[in-house]
Amino acid sequence: MTGFDHLDREWLHGKSGIKWSRPGADLIAAWVADMDFPIPAVVADAIREVIAGGDLGYPDLDGGNPLAAPFAERMRTRHGWDPDPGRVWAFTDVLNAVQAVLELMTQPGAGVAVHTPTYPPFLRTLETMRRRLVPIPFHSGPRGWFFDPERAAEAFSDAEVLLLVNPHNPTGRVLTRIELDLLAELAATHDVMVISDEVHAELLYPGHEHIPFATLSEDAARRTITLTSASKTFNLAGIRTAVAHVGSRTTWDALRSRPEHMWGVVGNLSVTATLAAWSGGHRWLGDLLARLARNRSALEVRLGQELDGIRWHSPEGTYLAWLDFRALGLGDNPAVAVRERSRVELSPGPDFGPGGSGFARLNFATAPNVLDEMLSRLAAGLG
């Protein structure tokens, strides 16, 4: 498990990506949702082979989307879903897909229901595109995060779109079939389109199951645009590739009505990396999930022993911990105090919108030596 069990800090700080380059050399980076681990060897080998062959010219896409059939096969084998490969569209990333669908299918002022707190770029997208955020708040209870069905019904009555993030970022909730069925019924009743971001679907812990929204009913299949990517599962965000299964015929026709390059075109390296990860990354993924489970357990122990003023619910999926600092009196944005006192960079809670005040998000997808130093710094600075 080389690469999962130990990481060199100098190597991490030498990376050019935003996660480690922006905070500074004296900080531990636990903010941006990139993992620290090296990418799967099978992906690195595939990319090197393309480069060695000089195969960086225009891709041949006349034969259709090269990711469509592999995506459909992965959904069949992992989730028992049999999506139509002929309705799969390739985008540069999930955010690109969300923006394209909102641009095509809604007008400024349209309400978009979102479980809050939520992924900050989605909030910025709604603000920039002048779509209205209609919150469905997550609440903290004895058994974890939950949402109020009555509040959800109110949100659907005021929305044209549900932007669903499941597994959820930042809380780590994996919605149950009962919860998803409720949302599907509300979508049918109020004729709401569903954009389902399922990019963290393969990063689950034992006892939890990912259920694609499009599998809930025939109606859900017709109104759902399902978004996914190899980016989170295999630490490949920089390849800028995602796929959308477009169940809505109206949305599919709208996408096809625009110039073919309007939403971007995937390139040889991004397709190569994605296909290599999906076809040959199984063992790497198994090792990753084992490491994330151990890190989650270590985080739970250390928080309970040394930082019991920080409240949290252990995530059911993802590698993200949504930490409640309100009992420590660190203000609306505790990430500032954590940076100053502990030299650890967290994602600021207020960036996640309603429900984010007093919180910060911690990314624990790193090696034990880095996680141990991170938690020791937190304890020293805040204990």
Side-chain angles (χ1 to χ4, degrees):
M1 297 225 343
T2 302
F4 290 108
D5 291 341
H6 183 86
L7 290 170
D8 181 67
R9 282 276 308 283
E10 185 175 347
W11 176 76
L12 289 170
H13 283 292
K15 290 186 172 187
S16 61
I18 187 175
K19 181 183 179 183
W20 282 93
S21 66
R22 181 171 292 184
D26 66 325
L27 272 74
I28 298 289
W31 62 308
V32 171
D34 286 334
M35 294 188 283
D36 290 340
F37 309 116
I39 65 173
V42 66
V43 175
D45 290 343
I47 292 174
R48 279 193 288 265
E49 184 175 345
V50 171
I51 294 173
D55 194 9
L56 295 176
Y58 289 115
D60 183 3
L61 302 178
D62 288 346
N65 180 354
L67 297 172
F71 160 79
E73 176 61 24
R74 194 165 185 85
M75 294 302 102
R76 277 192 292 271
T77 57
R78 299 190 71 88
H79 305 299
W81 176 30
D82 193 20
D84 179 3
R87 298 286 282 275
V88 176
W89 196 283
F91 288 93
T92 56
D93 59 21
V94 166
L95 193 60
N96 173 221
V98 169
Q99 293 169 352
V101 172
L102 290 177
E103 177 69 21
L104 286 169
M105 304 306 297
T106 67
Q107 297 294 322
V112 180
V114 183
H115 287 94
T116 54
T118 197
Y119 180 52
F122 287 160
L123 296 174
R124 293 195 293 270
T125 288
L126 298 183
E127 181 179 5
T128 302
M129 297 184 71
R130 292 184 291 136
R131 271 58 173 179
R132 287 186 301 108
L133 171 67
V134 183
I136 305 175
F138 267 121
H139 304 288
S140 177
R143 300 180 63 182
W145 294 101
F146 69 97
F147 66 91
D148 180 352
E150 293 185 5
R151 181 65 188 87
E154 293 174 4
F156 273 80
S157 68
D158 189 32
E160 297 179 23
V161 179
L162 169 66
L163 177 51
L164 179 67
V165 183
N166 180 46
H168 186 250
N169 176 4
T171 66
R173 267 304 317 278
V174 177
L175 297 183
T176 65
R177 183 174 294 277
I178 292 174
E179 291 170 313
L180 292 170
D181 281 340
L182 168 66
L183 296 174
E185 290 175 12
L186 291 171
T189 299
H190 297 281
D191 194 23
V192 168
M193 181 176 65
V194 179
I195 304 174
S196 186
D197 171 8
E198 302 180 11
V199 74
H200 285 102
E202 297 184 15
L203 301 172
L204 272 59
Y205 299 101
H208 302 282
E209 175 192 10
H210 175 71
I211 302 170
F213 197 87
T215 65
L216 295 171
S217 66
E218 291 185 7
D219 179 83
R222 287 193 297 268
R223 71 175 63 251
T224 302
I225 296 91
T226 303
L227 310 179
T228 194
S229 170
S231 62
K232 294 303 179 189
T233 304
F234 296 101
N235 202 26
L236 301 172
I239 67 169
R240 315 300 286 180
T241 299
V243 294
H245 180 266
V246 185
S248 164
R249 182 74 204 192
T250 304
T251 305
W252 181 256
D253 290 342
L255 284 167
R256 289 172 55 84
S257 72
R258 299 298 194 270
E260 59 180 337
H261 286 185
M262 179 169 281
W263 316 118
V265 177
V266 294
N268 285 350
L269 284 181
S270 57
V271 170
T272 295
T274 299
L275 294 180
W278 281 348
S279 64
H282 313 299
R283 181 174 179 179
W284 186 94
L285 178 55
D287 289 344
L288 168 69
L289 293 175
R291 166 49 57 206
L292 293 180
R294 287 194 289 272
N295 284 3
R296 185 182 67 151
S297 297
L299 184 59
E300 185 166 17
V301 170
R302 295 286 294 275
L303 288 177
Q305 291 178 346
E306 304 170 53
L307 291 157
D308 59 358
I310 300 175
R311 307 294 183 222
W312 79 315
H313 295 296
S314 183
E316 299 165 350
T318 80
Y319 43 81
L320 306 169
W322 186 233
L323 304 180
D324 181 355
F325 290 86
R326 289 176 294 180
L328 298 181
L330 300 181
D332 291 342
N333 188 3
V336 174
V338 170
R339 182 188 307 116
E340 293 174 350
R341 300 183 190 182
S342 302
R343 309 309 293 161
V344 174
E345 189 77 12
L346 304 180
S347 295
D351 290 356
F352 293 80
S357 179
F359 286 77
R361 192 189 69 182
L362 182 149
N363 176 349
F364 58 85
T366 192
N369 62 303
V370 181
L371 181 64
D372 181 68
E373 182 175 354
M374 182 194 307
L375 297 177
S376 295
R377 288 188 180 196
L378 287 174
L382 304 177

